[in-house]
């Protein structure tokens, strides 16, 4: 478990001081994948450096399994830092070392015997599916394979927390999906707490249990993925699942946007809605899927004849939130680059 408590980072002093992180609070439970998203300049990179204590926070705490790492001496911190494995955006592999030799680096640093190191490296490369690539050099590996070597190296010292700092950035969709599957498997098998820092909203939907939006050094919204997706007023939820089908629909009487908000929306809700309204209901576009075992999504409907009051009531009874296309969601103040089109 890792807990970030009132974490603040300030560069400079006096009138020229720049507050990069401003009192962040969040917790990543054991076995949880927690994503942090935000635009460029939001403070994501600084957050990563403060979490693994490559940068000392100005104030606040980084607590791992009950111990406040940010208050330790340099000697004790070197030991405590082993609890956090880091996967970097750039794989950070040494070009003149094989995959196996790169994974062995942290073990060599600690003075692990060559025999023990070989056993551990073989175990790790097998765990990430690269046993057959142990003797390959980085230039002989694909981007996804290099990142898998980086993951194996991050696990070498058996950390309880894994920090992924833009680890899928620049990878093709297939490699990204492969890394996401691996991280989820590692979370389940090793009971890791994973902090996943990224700007890729689609990847967040695939990998995370919970997410927070970082903007100008502050967390502006956070929550469990399913809860955010089911909240029609959540800007973060809308950015996770953009309502593109609503954007292309022509606003006007009879065109409605509905989203899943209930936990038990019936599979035949379109038929039930049409029956309750005694109206023609057609689907103009939809995105409905299962996330973390829960059904979430939205659809754009054409309803004829259209009675707003009856539509709102009938949708609510089915666990849906409805609004006419062309009407704005609740004001959020969110920056446009991560706001969805709706």
């Amino acid at each position: 478990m890792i807990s970030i408590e009132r974490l603040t980072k300030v560069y400079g002093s006096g009138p020229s001081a720049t507050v990069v992180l401003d009192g962040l609070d969040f917790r990543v439970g054991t076995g949880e994948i927690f994503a942090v998203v935000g635009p460029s300049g939001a403070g994501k990179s600084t957050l990563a450096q403060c979490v693994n204590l490559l940068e000392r926070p100005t104030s606040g705490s980084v607590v791992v399994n009950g111990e406040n790492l940010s208050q330790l001496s340099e000697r004790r911190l070197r030991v405590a830092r082993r609890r956090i494995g880091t996967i970097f955006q750039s794989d950070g592999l040494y070009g003149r070392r094989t995959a196996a030799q790169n994974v062995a680096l942290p073990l060599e640093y600690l003075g692990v015997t060559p025999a023990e190191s070989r056993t551990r490296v073989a175990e790790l490369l097998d765990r990430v599916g690269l046993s057959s690539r142990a003797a390959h050099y980085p230039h002989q590996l694909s981007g996804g394979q290099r990142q898998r070597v980086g993951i194996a190296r991050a696990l070498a010292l058996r950390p309880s927390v894994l920090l992924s700092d833009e680890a899928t950035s620049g990878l093709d969709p297939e490699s990204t999906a492969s890394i996401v599957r691996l991280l989820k498997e590692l979370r389940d098998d090793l009971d890791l707490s994973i902090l996943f820092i990224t700007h890729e909203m689609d990847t967040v939907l695939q990998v995370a249990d919970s997410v927070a939006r970082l903007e100008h050094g502050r967390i502006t919204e956070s929550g469990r993925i399913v809860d955010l997706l089911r909240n029609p007023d959540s800007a973060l939820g809308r950015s996770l699942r953009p309502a593109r089908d609503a954007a292309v629909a022509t606003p006007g009487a009879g065109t409605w946007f509905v989203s899943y908000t209930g936990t038990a929306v019936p599979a035949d809700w379109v038929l039930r809605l049409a029956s309750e309204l005694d109206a023609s209901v057609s689907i103009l576009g939809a995105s409905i899927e299962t996330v973390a075992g829960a059904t979430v999504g939205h659809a754009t409907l054409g309803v004829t004849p259209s009675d707003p009051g009856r539509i709102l009531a009938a949708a609510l009874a089915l666990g849906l939130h409805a609004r006419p296309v062309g009407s704005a969601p609740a004001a959020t103040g969110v920056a446009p680059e991560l706001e969805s089109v709706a």
Side-chain angles (χ1 to χ4, degrees):
M1 184 274 288
I2 181 169
S3 180
I4 305 303
E5 302 172 358
R6 304 301 300 163
L7 189 71
T8 297
K9 181 63 179 179
V10 180
Y11 289 102
S13 60
S16 61
T18 301
V19 180
V20 181
L21 300 176
D22 190 1
L24 303 190
D25 283 296
F26 62 86
R27 178 180 179 276
V28 188
T30 301
E32 180 181 19
I33 300 178
F34 187 100
V36 175
V37 300
S40 297
K44 300 192 300 299
S45 296
T46 301
L47 172 61
Q49 292 169 346
C50 286
V51 166
N52 59 22
L53 277 299
L54 293 178
E55 283 277 1
R56 287 273 191 173
T58 303
S59 62
S61 304
V62 177
V63 180
V64 177
N65 299 333
E67 183 175 23
N68 187 351
L69 272 56
S70 44
Q71 292 183 347
L72 299 180
S73 66
E74 286 298 328
R75 183 182 61 82
R76 292 181 62 196
L77 179 59
R78 282 194 294 271
V79 176
R81 194 181 277 131
R82 300 171 195 167
R83 301 172 199 168
I84 302 176
T86 302
I87 314 164
F88 299 97
Q89 176 177 355
S90 168
D91 52 64
L93 303 182
Y94 287 90
R96 295 186 178 183
R97 281 179 167 255
T98 64
Q101 290 168 340
N102 270 284
V103 175
L105 272 172
L107 302 170
E108 293 175 5
Y109 177 77
L110 288 182
V112 174
T113 67
E116 291 175 326
S117 180
R118 283 194 297 271
T119 299
R120 179 64 175 154
V121 169
E123 170 191 321
L124 289 166
L125 287 176
D126 179 65
R127 188 65 189 79
V128 300
L130 288 178
S131 293
S132 62
R133 300 289 190 272
H136 285 59
Y137 290 89
H139 74 271
Q140 297 173 308
L141 303 173
S142 69
Q145 289 172 336
R146 289 195 298 272
Q147 200 58 281
R148 282 173 174 267
V149 175
I151 292 173
R153 184 175 60 187
L155 294 172
L157 302 182
R158 305 182 191 276
S160 59
V161 173
L162 202 57
L163 170 61
S164 172
D165 183 13
E166 298 281 6
T168 59
S169 180
L171 296 180
D172 60 78
E174 183 177 349
S175 296
T176 294
S178 175
I179 295 299
V180 163
R181 286 194 300 272
L182 176 59
L183 290 177
K184 294 173 78 171
E185 289 172 6
L186 292 171
R187 180 270 308 271
D188 295 339
D189 294 348
L190 304 178
D191 217 17
L192 295 169
S193 303
I194 300 180
L195 179 58
F196 191 86
I197 297 175
T198 185
H199 66 278
E200 299 172 330
M201 304 300 281
D202 288 345
T203 306
V204 169
L205 199 60
Q206 297 173 45
V207 72
D209 302 301
S210 303
V211 60
R213 173 183 165 82
L214 184 64
E215 187 176 5
H216 303 303
R218 294 185 176 183
I219 292 177
T220 56
E221 189 178 3
S222 65
R224 293 191 63 80
I225 295 283
V226 172
D227 295 337
L228 293 169
L229 291 172
R230 285 178 169 168
N231 181 357
D233 296 330
S234 169
L236 184 51
R238 292 197 304 276
S239 64
L240 287 167
R241 178 51 61 202
R244 296 185 181 93
D245 53 310
V248 299
T250 303
T255 307
W256 287 78
F257 179 77
V258 298
S259 56
Y260 282 54
T261 56
T263 58
V265 178
D268 61 346
W269 64 265
V270 176
L271 292 176
R272 295 193 188 197
L273 185 63
S275 176
E276 175 65 26
L277 296 174
D278 191 20
S280 171
V281 178
S282 56
I283 298 179
L284 306 179
S287 175
I288 298 168
E289 61 187 303
T290 300
V291 176
T295 303
V296 295
H298 58 256
T300 304
L301 307 177
V303 184
T304 308
S306 179
D307 182 332
R310 291 187 63 205
I311 292 172
L312 290 171
L316 183 62
L318 292 168
L320 302 166
H321 175 271
R323 62 176 172 81
V325 169
S327 66
T332 61
V334 72
E337 64 268 21
L338 283 186
E339 174 66 287
S340 65
V341 180

